[in-house]
Amino acid sequence: MSIDKEIDTRGLNCPLPILKAKKALSDMDSGQLLKVVATDPGSMRDFQAFAKQTGNELVKQQAAGAEFIHVLRRR
C-alpha cells in the first residue's frame, strides 16, 4: 500500500483528527491514500462515520498499542 500523505494527530481529541483529515484530503487527488495516526480511541468510530458521510473510502483501520491508524482513499 503506497501512502500519498500522512498526518499525525496524536494527542488531539475529537473532532480535531477528523478536521485535519478533511483538510488534508481536500488537497489530494482522487484515489490517493491518506494515513492518519491518532491517539483518541473515539477516532475508530469517528473515521467510520466520516467515511460514510463524505464518500471517501476507509481502506484500513488498526489499533497499534495506544495509537490508532486510519487509511482513507480520496473519492
Side-chain angles (χ1 to χ4, degrees):
M1 189 180 316
S2 172
I3 302 296
D4 298 294
K5 191 178 218 178
E6 182 172 338
I7 58 173
D8 180 357
T9 64
R10 285 177 264 214
L12 301 177
N13 292 325
C14 179
L16 289 172
I18 293 288
L19 293 175
K20 288 190 174 285
K22 188 175 182 177
K23 184 177 185 320
L25 285 166
S26 71
D27 296 335
M28 296 171 69
D29 293 328
S30 183
Q32 288 189 308
L33 293 178
L34 171 68
K35 178 179 177 182
V36 183
V37 181
T39 50
D40 179 7
S43 68
M44 293 297 272
R45 71 168 184 280
D46 291 345
F47 274 95
Q48 291 167 11
F50 174 74
K52 274 188 190 142
Q53 290 171 353
T54 62
N56 293 298
E57 180 189 354
L58 186 58
V59 178
K60 179 179 173 183
Q61 276 191 311
Q62 76 181 59
E67 294 182 349
F68 303 92
I69 297 166
H70 315 279
V71 178
L72 294 151
R73 183 181 317 277
R74 171 83 159 98
R75 64 176 160 81

